Amino acid sequence: MNKSIFACLVLYFLLSLNNVLATEKPDIRIKVAEYENSFEFIMPDGGTWEYGNEKGKIENNKKYIISGKLLRESIKKYHIIVGSTKINEPAQFSELANKYAFLSPYKIEIGEKPVNGFPENRLIYLAVKNFDSEEDAIKYQDVLAESNISSWIYYEAIQKPLASIKLTYKGKTLAEGQKSFFLKPTKQTILNKVEYAKGFSWHGFENRAYNGILEVKYGYSDNIECIETTDMETILAGVVPSEILPSSPDAALQAQAVAARGEILSKKGVKHFGCGYDTCSEQHCQVYKGITKILSKMSVAIKPTKGLVMENDDGTILDAVYGANCGGHSAANDKIWVSNYNPHLQGVDDLVAKGIIKDLTKEENVKDYIENPPDCWCGRKAEGASKYRWTKTITKDEWKIIEDTANIGNIRSVEIIEREVSGRIISMRLIGSEGQKTILKELPIRKLLGAGAVLKSSCFIAEFNKDKDGFINGATLKGAGWGHGVGMCQTGAQSRAKAGQNFKQILEHYFPNSKFVKLY
Ligand SMILES: [Zn+2]
Ligand SMILES: [Zn+2]
């Protein structure tokens, strides 16, 4: 047998073995920390480090330092994306391309081929323009917004940064160069001062522990990135208590586990495509604080849901998103984000007793809904009263920040143009002394009016204060809910579980008509 035929047969054997392994728990690569120049770590029970062919021992409980120097920044291209379809939907893609034909669009294929029999997640993005800097891309998004075209920015990783990185112990360099370090703990690695919730009011630093292998390298953030590879169920045992009160009844923890598993798996290979990991440990993907004291308790609690996800009608995994508090009614995915209509993510009320919430897309119904809140699961006092209804005063100084960001001079008025089914504002226009600006989608609205932070939700009513010339100089906002509002309401899930609902009942409510499927 000649060598190439033999190689083909070996490859065929390996591939078929891969299919046999379809029922195995998938490994997930999660970016858990990012450092500008250096960080310290310890392994309480020791371990090893590897760097190319070099390797060595990590002593128990001793402080090691990894530091680096950025020699040349990474190169990225910022594409403006106006829509996407799954990779195997050519008819839908043509329809989308025709809709935006006047912008001379082009397509970009996103995602990695699925492994181990897991579903196809790859997408085709429809891009309309690209830029070398993020700043220019954002400016172009504003131009599109004036024509009521929502978009998002996809950055394509063109060239990795050039950087040198080294591992030192007691002042001595153990290895140095431009490759990745791999840290393999006997039990766990404790990373010092991991930064979390950047841009949020609860932003901070804390030491966090991880039991998987950590890859340490300079990434496209131009910082040192730590990427943990570990199995899905271990990550979930860490994600669940970071996302929902760990003291919640098991049914709420289990609902959270199924939702997070679906969210991670439906975006695997896509959301951070080209970055070298599947998901990140921040709000952007799902909050994961690593291994905590309650890990084993969580593993036991979520075990009955092992491998379980919900699916779309075409058999792909449902992106079972969730948010802190829906405010009384959950939101519609395609209105909140630039994403395709999903029948399981169109928003449902969270009423305790059967009833009707008046149409919140109509401005005249929103004031009463916010000021006289209905009896909803997520409005129960013990769970999240402060998330259910809130008031925010925008001071003069904060309004100044908003005006600086909007960059249209002094703002004279704010018009609410569109609300979606949960009452969240998804289109808003500011009229200023030097122009006007349209802001589309809930997150940009929350960021702008948060004046340096992020507003709890875009479901609010506002009273504006004005100066003697009629310009706005502050406001009082009364709002409902916390977060984007799509999918499962985490506060509602907790009080439903307390009242005796099981995890399937909870999920069936927030993701109507979606089926459960066990992947492994
Ligand atoms: Zn992320
Ligand atoms: Zn709710």
Side-chain angles (χ1 to χ4, degrees):
M1 196 182 328
N2 82 30
K3 262 187 192 162
S4 61
I5 291 176
F6 178 71
C8 282
L9 282 174
V10 169
L11 187 66
Y12 177 74
F13 174 73
L14 287 173
L15 285 174
S16 53
L17 199 65
N18 232 5
N19 281 332
V20 177
L21 293 176
T23 51
E24 281 298 307
K25 290 185 278 191
D27 270 344
I28 303 291
R29 296 163 301 169
I30 180 165
K31 184 180 81 174
V32 293
E34 212 179 288
Y35 296 96
E36 220 169 287
N37 304 306
S38 74
F39 68 95
E40 293 173 5
F41 71 90
I42 60 165
M43 292 185 185
D45 304 280
T48 55
W49 60 267
E50 278 179 25
Y51 182 78
N53 295 325
E54 300 170 62
K55 59 172 122 186
K57 211 178 149 211
I58 301 280
E59 304 287 344
N60 293 11
N61 235 350
K62 292 281 192 283
K63 198 198 293 172
Y64 286 73
I65 297 173
I66 288 186
S67 57
K69 209 178 202 168
L70 186 65
L71 305 169
R72 193 201 60 221
E73 285 183 2
S74 61
I75 300 174
K76 286 165 270 196
K77 198 175 249 185
Y78 299 85
H79 298 269
I80 308 288
I81 313 295
V82 293
S84 71
T85 62
K86 288 174 182 161
I87 199 163
N88 47 12
E89 292 175 336
Q92 262 134 310
F93 186 81
S94 306
E95 197 181 305
L96 186 68
N98 286 338
K99 185 179 166 193
Y100 292 103
F102 64 102
L103 290 170
S104 326
Y106 56 96
K107 62 180 188 181
I108 308 174
E109 203 178 297
I110 302 290
E112 294 163 13
K113 274 191 181 163
V115 289
N116 294 351
F118 283 91
E120 174 71 84
N121 292 336
R122 282 178 293 172
L123 300 171
I124 299 181
Y125 283 176
L126 189 74
V128 293
K129 221 177 174 67
N130 62 72
F131 299 89
D132 293 332
S133 85
E134 191 172 16
E135 215 187 340
D136 290 343
I138 292 170
K139 275 186 201 152
Y140 188 69
Q141 277 191 296
D142 287 344
V143 174
L144 290 179
E146 289 309 317
S147 309
N148 204 29
I149 298 172
S150 302
S151 62
W152 80 92
I153 298 173
Y154 160 67
Y155 80 76
E156 184 187 3
I158 303 272
Q159 194 175 59
K160 284 184 181 150
L162 189 64
S164 156
I165 187 167
K166 67 178 178 183
L167 171 68
T168 55
Y169 176 55
K170 289 183 172 170
K172 198 180 140 213
T173 299
L174 302 176
E176 183 172 13
Q178 294 175 7
K179 292 190 277 256
S180 293
F181 276 95
F182 289 89
L183 307 178
K184 300 181 176 178
T186 308
K187 281 195 179 150
Q188 50 185 237
T189 307
I190 297 174
L191 298 181
N192 208 9
K193 290 185 189 158
V194 175
E195 184 175 16
Y196 60 88
K198 215 172 170 178
F200 290 90
S201 56
W202 59 95
H203 167 243
F205 297 84
E206 67 183 12
N207 299 349
R208 290 182 176 176
Y210 303 94
N211 64 2
I213 295 172
L214 289 172
E215 180 182 6
V216 181
K217 62 172 183 188
Y218 270 85
Y220 281 95
S221 61
D222 293 321
N223 287 326
I224 302 175
E225 296 178 345
C226 302
I227 297 159
E228 183 190 22
T229 299
T230 185
D231 79 85
M232 185 76 220
E233 300 303 305
T234 304
I235 287 190
L236 286 177
V239 164
V240 168
S242 308
E243 285 284 0
I244 207 162
L245 267 184
S247 56
S248 304
D250 280 1
L253 302 172
Q254 290 161 354
Q256 179 64 64
V258 175
R261 189 183 292 111
E263 195 186 0
I264 294 173
L265 288 178
S266 68
K267 289 171 178 159
K268 184 171 156 58
V270 173
K271 193 162 182 189
H272 283 285
F273 177 56
C275 299
Y277 49 90
D278 302 313
T279 183
C280 72
S281 60
E282 286 290 316
Q283 270 72 14
H284 178 257
C285 289
Q286 38 276 308
V287 179
Y288 170 64
K289 299 176 186 169
I291 303 308
T292 54
K293 287 191 190 89
I294 49 172
L295 183 81
S296 52
K297 187 178 160 246
M298 284 301 134
S299 299
V300 174
I302 66 170
K303 204 167 180 190
T305 75
K306 188 186 160 197
L308 206 62
V309 293
M310 303 188 85
E311 62 177 16
N312 292 310
D313 302 342
D314 65 358
T316 55
I317 300 176
L318 175 70
D319 182 7
V321 283
Y322 41 86
N325 190 307
C326 75
H329 199 294
S330 60
N333 77 307
D334 52 321
K335 300 288 181 184
I336 293 295
W337 301 304
V338 194
S339 57
N340 298 320
Y341 172 90
N342 186 316
H344 312 292
L345 301 173
Q346 286 305 299
V348 287
D349 72 62
D350 214 353
L351 293 169
V352 175
K354 262 202 161 47
I356 289 172
I357 291 178
K358 279 189 183 166
D359 184 353
L360 298 174
T361 62
K362 297 209 164 70
E363 197 59 41
E364 66 264 27
N365 295 331
V366 179
K367 188 176 187 309
D368 181 55
Y369 169 72
I370 289 178
E371 290 183 340
N372 304 300
D375 183 17
C376 287
W377 290 105
C378 51
R380 301 249 147 153
K381 279 237 156 24
E383 310 305 330
S386 67
K387 297 175 189 165
Y388 187 57
R389 290 294 177 273
W390 47 266
T391 302
K392 154 91 184 155
T393 307
I394 300 177
T395 63
K396 277 185 183 169
D397 288 348
E398 285 172 329
W399 191 260
K400 193 88 197 51
I401 296 172
I402 293 168
E403 283 185 331
D404 287 349
T405 313
N407 199 22
I408 47 165
N410 297 104
I411 295 171
R412 190 175 288 282
S413 69
V414 176
E415 292 169 20
I416 291 159
I417 300 176
E418 191 181 355
R419 291 182 189 264
E420 55 73 70
V421 71
S422 75
R424 282 169 173 79
I425 301 168
I426 51 170
S427 178
M428 194 174 87
R429 189 181 298 134
L430 310 176
I431 313 289
S433 56
E434 290 161 25
Q436 63 174 47
K437 191 181 174 82
T438 307
I439 302 137
L440 300 175
K441 302 297 170 192
E442 60 95 47
L443 190 58
I445 291 171
R446 286 164 67 198
K447 281 184 174 167
L448 179 71
L449 293 182
V454 183
L455 203 64
K456 278 183 178 159
S457 99
S458 75
C459 179
F460 59 81
I461 49 170
E463 263 175 43
F464 295 100
N465 313 325
K466 293 196 170 179
D467 65 16
K468 59 180 179 8
D469 301 316
F471 292 112
I472 298 172
N473 61 6
T476 304
L477 309 185
K478 283 187 200 166
W482 192 352
H484 52 68
V486 184
M488 186 179 80
C489 169
Q490 291 169 305
T491 314
Q494 289 172 74
S495 51
R496 282 168 188 273
K498 269 193 187 155
Q501 294 190 18
N502 65 38
F503 80 87
K504 285 193 171 171
Q505 290 170 317
I506 294 170
L507 292 166
E508 278 163 355
H509 174 78
Y510 294 115
F511 305 103
N513 306 315
S514 178
K515 287 194 294 286
F516 290 94
V517 56
K518 198 168 161 60
L519 284 178
Y520 50 86

Short mmCIF file of all heavy atoms in Angstrom, two decimals, residues 26 29 57 66 94 122 132 137 143 165-166 192 205 269 315 409 420 453-454 458 499 509:
data_model
loop_
_atom_site.label_atom_id
_atom_site.label_comp_id
_atom_site.label_asym_id
_atom_site.label_seq_id
_atom_site.Cartn_x
_atom_site.Cartn_y
_atom_site.Cartn_z
N PRO A 26 -18.71 17.90 24.83
CA PRO A 26 -17.76 18.67 24.04
C PRO A 26 -16.84 19.51 24.93
O PRO A 26 -17.26 19.97 26.00
CB PRO A 26 -18.66 19.59 23.22
CG PRO A 26 -19.90 19.72 24.03
CD PRO A 26 -20.06 18.45 24.82
N ARG A 29 -13.65 26.06 24.73
CA ARG A 29 -12.53 26.98 25.00
C ARG A 29 -13.14 28.32 25.42
O ARG A 29 -13.88 28.94 24.66
CB ARG A 29 -11.67 27.17 23.75
CG ARG A 29 -10.98 25.90 23.27
CD ARG A 29 -10.51 26.05 21.84
NE ARG A 29 -11.63 26.34 20.97
CZ ARG A 29 -11.52 26.73 19.70
NH1 ARG A 29 -10.33 26.91 19.17
NH2 ARG A 29 -12.58 26.96 18.98
N LYS A 57 8.15 22.06 35.92
CA LYS A 57 7.23 21.83 37.04
C LYS A 57 6.82 23.17 37.65
O LYS A 57 7.60 24.11 37.70
CB LYS A 57 8.00 21.00 38.08
CG LYS A 57 7.11 20.10 38.88
CD LYS A 57 7.92 19.26 39.86
CE LYS A 57 6.99 19.04 41.06
NZ LYS A 57 7.60 18.92 42.32
N ILE A 66 3.72 35.70 34.60
CA ILE A 66 3.82 35.72 33.13
C ILE A 66 3.73 37.18 32.71
O ILE A 66 2.82 37.91 33.14
CB ILE A 66 2.73 34.87 32.47
CG1 ILE A 66 3.04 33.38 32.69
CG2 ILE A 66 2.65 35.17 30.96
CD1 ILE A 66 2.12 32.41 31.98
N SER A 94 -30.31 34.98 -0.48
CA SER A 94 -30.55 35.80 -1.68
C SER A 94 -31.57 36.90 -1.38
O SER A 94 -31.42 38.05 -1.82
CB SER A 94 -31.12 34.97 -2.82
OG SER A 94 -30.30 33.90 -3.07
N ARG A 122 -22.63 27.30 11.45
CA ARG A 122 -22.02 28.32 10.59
C ARG A 122 -23.05 29.26 9.97
O ARG A 122 -24.17 28.87 9.68
CB ARG A 122 -21.19 27.65 9.49
CG ARG A 122 -19.84 27.18 10.02
CD ARG A 122 -19.04 26.48 8.97
NE ARG A 122 -19.66 25.22 8.58
CZ ARG A 122 -19.24 24.50 7.57
NH1 ARG A 122 -18.23 24.91 6.84
NH2 ARG A 122 -19.84 23.35 7.29
N ASP A 132 -10.68 50.03 8.33
CA ASP A 132 -9.49 49.61 9.05
C ASP A 132 -9.57 49.97 10.53
O ASP A 132 -8.82 49.45 11.34
CB ASP A 132 -8.23 50.24 8.44
CG ASP A 132 -7.98 49.70 7.05
OD1 ASP A 132 -8.39 48.55 6.78
OD2 ASP A 132 -7.40 50.43 6.22
N ALA A 137 -15.84 52.65 11.46
CA ALA A 137 -16.97 51.73 11.29
C ALA A 137 -18.18 52.23 12.07
O ALA A 137 -19.31 52.20 11.56
CB ALA A 137 -16.57 50.33 11.76
N VAL A 143 -24.48 56.58 10.08
CA VAL A 143 -25.05 57.00 8.79
C VAL A 143 -26.19 56.06 8.39
O VAL A 143 -27.28 56.50 8.02
CB VAL A 143 -23.95 56.99 7.68
CG1 VAL A 143 -24.55 57.26 6.31
CG2 VAL A 143 -22.85 58.01 8.01
N ILE A 165 6.58 36.94 25.18
CA ILE A 165 5.95 36.61 26.45
C ILE A 165 6.90 35.70 27.24
O ILE A 165 7.62 34.90 26.65
CB ILE A 165 4.56 35.97 26.17
CG1 ILE A 165 3.75 35.74 27.41
CG2 ILE A 165 4.67 34.72 25.36
CD1 ILE A 165 2.28 35.40 27.11
N LYS A 166 6.93 35.88 28.57
CA LYS A 166 7.84 35.01 29.33
C LYS A 166 7.26 34.60 30.68
O LYS A 166 6.40 35.28 31.23
CB LYS A 166 9.20 35.70 29.53
CG LYS A 166 9.17 36.91 30.43
CD LYS A 166 10.58 37.48 30.58
CE LYS A 166 10.54 38.73 31.45
NZ LYS A 166 11.85 39.36 31.58
N ASN A 192 -4.42 35.74 39.46
CA ASN A 192 -4.51 36.90 40.33
C ASN A 192 -5.23 38.05 39.62
O ASN A 192 -5.02 38.29 38.44
CB ASN A 192 -3.07 37.31 40.66
CG ASN A 192 -2.98 38.00 42.01
OD1 ASN A 192 -3.94 38.02 42.77
ND2 ASN A 192 -1.82 38.54 42.29
N PHE A 205 -11.99 43.59 40.30
CA PHE A 205 -10.92 42.60 40.12
C PHE A 205 -11.03 41.56 41.22
O PHE A 205 -11.33 41.91 42.35
CB PHE A 205 -9.54 43.28 40.23
CG PHE A 205 -9.28 44.31 39.17
CD1 PHE A 205 -9.74 45.62 39.33
CD2 PHE A 205 -8.57 43.98 38.01
CE1 PHE A 205 -9.51 46.59 38.35
CE2 PHE A 205 -8.35 44.95 37.03
CZ PHE A 205 -8.81 46.24 37.20
N GLY A 269 -17.98 28.19 17.94
CA GLY A 269 -17.31 28.29 16.64
C GLY A 269 -17.74 29.49 15.81
O GLY A 269 -17.23 29.72 14.73
N GLY A 315 -34.26 21.56 13.88
CA GLY A 315 -33.37 20.61 14.53
C GLY A 315 -32.05 21.20 15.01
O GLY A 315 -31.24 20.49 15.62
N GLY A 409 -24.46 68.77 19.33
CA GLY A 409 -24.68 70.03 20.04
C GLY A 409 -25.57 69.84 21.25
O GLY A 409 -25.66 68.74 21.80
N GLU A 420 -40.67 47.65 21.15
CA GLU A 420 -41.09 46.30 20.76
C GLU A 420 -42.02 45.75 21.84
O GLU A 420 -42.43 46.47 22.75
CB GLU A 420 -39.88 45.40 20.43
CG GLU A 420 -38.81 45.26 21.47
CD GLU A 420 -39.24 44.41 22.62
OE1 GLU A 420 -39.38 43.18 22.44
OE2 GLU A 420 -39.46 44.97 23.72
N ALA A 453 -22.13 54.43 32.02
CA ALA A 453 -22.47 53.08 32.50
C ALA A 453 -23.50 52.50 31.53
O ALA A 453 -23.64 53.01 30.43
CB ALA A 453 -23.01 53.14 33.91
N VAL A 454 -24.21 51.48 31.93
CA VAL A 454 -25.26 50.93 31.06
C VAL A 454 -26.58 50.99 31.82
O VAL A 454 -26.67 50.49 32.93
CB VAL A 454 -24.94 49.47 30.65
CG1 VAL A 454 -26.00 48.94 29.69
CG2 VAL A 454 -23.56 49.37 30.02
N SER A 458 -34.03 49.34 28.33
CA SER A 458 -34.54 50.44 27.50
C SER A 458 -36.06 50.52 27.56
O SER A 458 -36.67 51.21 26.76
CB SER A 458 -34.04 50.30 26.06
OG SER A 458 -34.74 49.27 25.39
N ALA A 499 -42.10 28.43 43.69
CA ALA A 499 -43.52 28.09 43.77
C ALA A 499 -43.79 26.65 43.32
O ALA A 499 -44.93 26.23 43.25
CB ALA A 499 -44.32 29.07 42.92
N HIS A 509 -42.25 27.77 29.35
CA HIS A 509 -42.94 29.07 29.37
C HIS A 509 -42.15 30.13 28.59
O HIS A 509 -42.69 30.83 27.75
CB HIS A 509 -43.18 29.55 30.80
CG HIS A 509 -43.76 30.94 30.81
ND1 HIS A 509 -45.09 31.18 30.54
CD2 HIS A 509 -43.18 32.15 30.97
CE1 HIS A 509 -45.31 32.48 30.55
NE2 HIS A 509 -44.16 33.11 30.81
#
